[in-house]
């Protein structure tokens, strides 16, 4: 490549970087995450009020009908908390990936100052905190969802009873109090994640301002060195500007190429990190029993959705698959996305949970996924064609083997 071509390529990359960095900062879902966090807090406050009313009603004469009514209201509020907190968790855990184009500009920055280095460090530290708080909000949200389902099942079993003993009433009031406390913890975790998302936008804006300042200083220095440029250079610059004038279609193509390049670089970095850990596991801190339990609890909740959908086939309700193959296909596609280590650097939150479980203990994850497949096969009816069942089963096993491949078991 000749020198003028290389220069034009650098200038084109700069033109792409600045709008992308601005779009990244403006695209961070700060306002929507804040609104969802407020919904979480409002729902949790309503859960606490209902729990207090249930505790007061437990000792009254008509305690049982009032407790049933309180239980229904609390389930509605807990559902609102679950939905809003899951939205906050997904957005928060996606923020570090959204900030990659901005951090990519650091590679081409010249004359990095101490302030720019500090701004970069603050942003990277903030992304780590976002991931931790997003994971915590997701974990509490899933726990709240599971306990709400269990409580709804229990409440449905005793809803037709006209009265219950004082002990049963006090026990139900205590259950409502515990569920309300979990909803409050979930809302607090979602609010903490939302705060860090707002902080990340401020740190990203500070880093962008630093990088823009460095670039302008570099451009001014180059202009001072080239004051003697002649008329030929001005004509060449005008021609170059016309060539670089992009249409929306070419801009979209350039952005797509940039994202593919970033995806490839992150994949290479992930491969290198996994290789280092396999060669020297002491580089990573030891995973505690509690951390491993949390990760596999989330992984089981993610994949249990597949067996739950299979068990609900036949019910005419929104979101319920129409047949066994459709229900299983969603789980297989999720496994394939998580198992695509060498092509997708930043898959969905559910796929990232499965990847984390595979990195911690690939053998245990493989066993858990095979048990879920066996559960789904037991539920399968004779109406399913054998070839369809065999094909789906083989695709499921192939995806599990790729996700829990042999080199991960050494980590």
């Amino acid at each position: 490549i000749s020198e003028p071509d290389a220069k034009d390529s650098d200038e084109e990359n700069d033109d792409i970087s600045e709008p992308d960095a601005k779009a990244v900062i403006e695209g961070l879902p700060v306002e929507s995450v804040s609104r969802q966090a407020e919904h979480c807090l409002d729902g949790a406050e309503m859960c606490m009020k209902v729990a207090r009313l249930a505790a007061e009603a437990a000792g009254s004469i008509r305690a049982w009908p009032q407790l049933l009514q309180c239980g229904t209201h609390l389930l509605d509020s807990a559902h609102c908390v679950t939905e809003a907190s899951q939205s906050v968790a997904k957005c928060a855990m996606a923020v570090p990936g959204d900030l990659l184009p901005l951090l990519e500009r650091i590679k081409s920055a010249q004359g990095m100052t101490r302030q720019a280095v500090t701004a970069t460090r603050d942003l990277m530290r903030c992304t780590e905190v976002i991931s931790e708080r997003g994971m915590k909000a997701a974990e509490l949200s899933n726990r709240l969802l599971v306990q709400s389902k269990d409580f709804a099942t229990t409440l449905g079993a005793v809803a037709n009873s006209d009265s219950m003993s004082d002990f049963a009433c006090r026990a139900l009031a205590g259950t409502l109090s515990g569920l309300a406390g979990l909803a409050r913890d979930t809302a607090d975790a979602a609010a903490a994640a939302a705060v860090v998302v707002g902080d990340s936008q401020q740190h990203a804006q500070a880093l962008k301002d630093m990088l823009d300042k460095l670039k302008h200083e570099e451009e001014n220095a180059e202009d001072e060195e080239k004051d003697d440029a002649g008329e030929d250079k001005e004509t060449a610059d005008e021609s170059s500007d016309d060539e670089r004038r992009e249409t929306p279609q070419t801009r979209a193509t350039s952005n797509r190429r940039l994202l593919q390049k970033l995806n490839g670089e992150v994949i290479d970095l992930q491969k290198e990190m996994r290789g280092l850990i396999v060669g020297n596991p002491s580089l990573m801190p030891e995973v505690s029993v509690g951390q491993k339990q949390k990760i596999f609890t989330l992984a089981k909740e993610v994949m249990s959705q597949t067996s739950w959908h299979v068990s609900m086939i036949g019910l005419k309700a929104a979101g319920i698959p129409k047949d066994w193959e459709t229900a299983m296909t969603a789980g297989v596609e999720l496994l394939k996305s998580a198992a695509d280590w060498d092509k997708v650097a930043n898959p969905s939150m559910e796929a990232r949970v499965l990847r984390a479980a595979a990195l911690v203990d690939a053998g245990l994850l493989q066993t858990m996924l095979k048990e879920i497949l066996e559960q789904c096969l037991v539920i399968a009816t004779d109406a399913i064609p054998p070839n369809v069942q065999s094909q789906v089963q083989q695709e499921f096993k192939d995806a599990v083997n790729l996700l829990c491949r042999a080199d991960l078991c050494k980590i």
Side-chain angles (χ1 to χ4, degrees):
I1 300 176
S2 62
E3 183 177 354
D5 291 339
K7 177 182 176 183
D8 291 343
S9 177
D10 291 340
E11 292 178 358
E12 183 177 358
N13 289 335
D14 290 341
D15 291 341
I16 294 175
S17 299
E18 286 190 24
D20 281 352
K22 182 178 180 182
V24 165
I25 296 172
E26 295 178 351
L28 292 177
V30 177
E31 294 184 1
S32 62
V33 168
S34 298
R35 287 195 298 270
Q36 293 297 330
E38 289 179 2
H39 293 332
C40 281
L41 294 173
D42 293 341
E45 184 178 359
M46 182 60 66
C47 289
M48 296 301 296
K49 290 181 179 179
V50 172
R52 286 194 292 268
L53 290 175
E56 294 174 358
S60 62
I61 299 176
R62 292 181 50 81
W64 186 247
Q66 295 179 18
L67 288 174
L68 292 178
Q69 209 170 28
C70 289
T72 303
H73 289 314
L74 193 143
L75 282 176
D76 292 338
S77 299
H79 177 71
C80 294
V81 175
T82 301
E83 293 291 330
S85 60
Q86 286 179 348
S87 176
V88 172
K90 288 182 178 180
C91 292
M93 296 180 69
V95 167
D98 295 338
L99 292 174
L100 278 178
L102 178 60
L103 294 173
E104 184 69 16
R105 288 189 59 189
I106 300 174
K107 294 183 179 180
S108 60
Q110 301 293 331
M112 288 285 287
T113 62
R114 180 177 300 177
Q115 291 83 355
V117 173
T118 301
T120 304
R121 188 183 299 113
D122 291 341
L123 180 58
M124 296 180 69
R125 188 182 298 113
C126 188
T127 58
E128 295 177 2
V129 176
I130 289 176
S131 299
E132 294 175 359
R133 295 191 179 180
M135 182 69 76
K136 182 178 180 181
E139 177 190 353
L140 290 173
S141 178
N142 286 330
R143 192 187 305 171
L144 178 61
L145 178 61
V146 171
Q147 293 192 13
S148 297
K149 287 181 179 178
D150 294 342
F151 179 70
T153 302
T154 303
L155 199 64
V158 298
N160 295 327
S161 302
D162 295 331
S163 62
M164 282 288 188
S165 64
D166 291 341
F167 176 79
C169 292
R170 288 194 298 271
L172 181 59
T175 303
L176 292 174
S177 179
L179 195 61
L182 180 57
R184 180 189 57 199
D185 294 340
T186 303
D188 290 342
V195 170
V196 185
V197 171
D199 293 341
S200 69
Q201 188 180 52
Q202 296 179 359
H203 290 307
Q205 184 63 49
L207 178 58
K208 178 183 177 299
D209 293 341
M210 290 287 182
L211 295 177
D212 289 343
K213 182 179 179 180
L214 293 175
K215 182 180 178 182
H216 292 157
E217 291 177 353
E218 182 183 356
E219 290 176 349
N220 292 335
E222 291 178 355
D223 291 339
E224 292 177 359
E225 294 176 358
K226 298 178 181 179
D227 288 339
D228 56 346
E231 190 175 307
D232 293 339
K233 187 178 184 309
E234 294 178 358
T235 304
D237 289 341
E238 293 176 358
S239 176
S240 178
D241 290 339
D242 293 336
E243 292 177 357
R244 291 197 300 270
R245 198 167 291 142
E246 293 181 322
T247 64
Q249 291 78 10
T250 57
R251 169 66 66 180
T253 302
S254 299
N255 290 342
R256 185 162 54 252
R257 286 198 300 266
L258 177 62
L259 291 176
Q260 290 174 349
K261 176 185 176 183
L262 292 175
N263 183 74
E265 291 179 354
V266 174
I267 288 175
D268 292 339
L269 179 60
Q270 290 174 345
K271 288 182 181 178
E272 182 179 354
M273 293 298 296
R274 289 198 296 270
L276 290 173
I277 296 172
V278 170
N280 189 3
S282 61
L283 292 174
M284 291 292 292
E286 182 180 356
V287 179
S288 66
V289 176
Q291 291 172 331
K292 182 176 180 179
Q293 185 178 6
K294 291 179 181 179
I295 292 174
F296 275 86
T297 299
L298 284 175
K300 188 172 183 179
E301 286 299 324
V302 167
M303 290 308 301
S304 293
Q305 294 295 322
T306 300
S307 58
W308 183 77
H309 283 155
V310 172
S311 65
M312 299 297 289
I313 293 174
L315 298 179
K316 296 181 180 180
I320 302 302
K322 60 181 181 180
D323 53 35
W324 185 87
E325 182 181 3
T326 304
M328 289 296 298
T329 300
V332 171
E333 292 300 325
L334 174 59
L335 285 175
K336 287 181 178 179
S337 174
D340 208 352
W341 297 91
D342 299 330
K343 291 184 180 180
V344 182
N346 187 30
S348 64
M349 184 189 73
E350 292 82 0
R352 293 200 298 272
V353 170
L354 295 178
R355 284 189 178 183
L359 291 172
V360 171
D361 194 334
L364 178 58
L365 178 64
Q366 192 172 23
T367 302
M368 184 186 75
L369 294 176
K370 287 183 178 179
E371 291 176 354
I372 292 177
L373 175 60
E374 292 174 358
Q375 294 174 5
C376 295
L377 292 175
V378 170
I379 301 174
T381 62
D382 296 337
I384 303 172
N387 60 331
V388 172
Q389 182 174 339
S390 176
Q391 180 182 357
V392 173
Q393 182 178 359
Q394 188 60 44
E395 290 181 358
F396 191 99
K397 289 182 177 179
D398 292 342
V400 171
N401 291 333
L402 288 175
L403 177 61
C404 306
R405 60 196 194 191
D407 59 329
L408 293 176
C409 296
K410 301 177 182 178
I411 298 180

